[in-house]
Amino acid sequence: MKSITVSLDSIEKVKEFVNMINTFDGDFDLVSERYVIDAKSIMGIFSLDISKTLRLDIHDNVPEPEKVAETLSKFKAD
């Protein structure tokens, strides 16, 4: 599993993130403290505190995890 830290601190970023991640096959989770949600679920993301950074877990069943990380690099937290 590969993990990256992302920032989705606006509604526009969440929409763009969900549209981008849904183009990939496999399982992705967003983690905020003790909460884990499906990263492909816009409603799930809005249930999190998006003012904080989130951890994106890219599971092993994703065919090209490096490509996913590169595509989503604009959301990487500083």
Side-chain angles (χ1 to χ4, degrees):
M1 179 170 61
K2 179 176 179 57
S3 296
I4 58 174
T5 304
V6 296
S7 175
L8 303 174
D9 56 357
S10 71
I11 293 170
E12 292 77 23
K13 281 185 179 181
V14 171
K15 289 179 185 177
E16 187 177 2
F17 175 85
V18 170
N19 286 336
M20 291 173 90
I21 203 159
N22 273 302
T23 64
F24 295 101
D25 291 329
D27 296 320
F28 304 89
D29 290 327
L30 278 173
V31 180
S32 176
E33 297 176 2
R34 63 185 179 142
Y35 300 102
V36 179
I37 58 98
D38 181 354
K40 292 183 176 185
S41 167
I42 195 165
M43 293 302 290
I45 295 172
F46 283 126
S47 72
L48 301 175
D49 181 359
I50 62 172
S51 68
K52 298 180 180 179
T53 58
L54 306 169
R55 187 182 79 224
L56 173 66
D57 291 340
I58 303 169
H59 292 274
D60 293 333
N61 67 347
V62 175
E64 298 179 52
E66 295 303 322
K67 183 177 180 184
V68 173
E70 182 181 322
T71 301
L72 299 174
S73 64
K74 71 183 295 177
F75 302 105
K76 280 186 115 175
D78 296 329

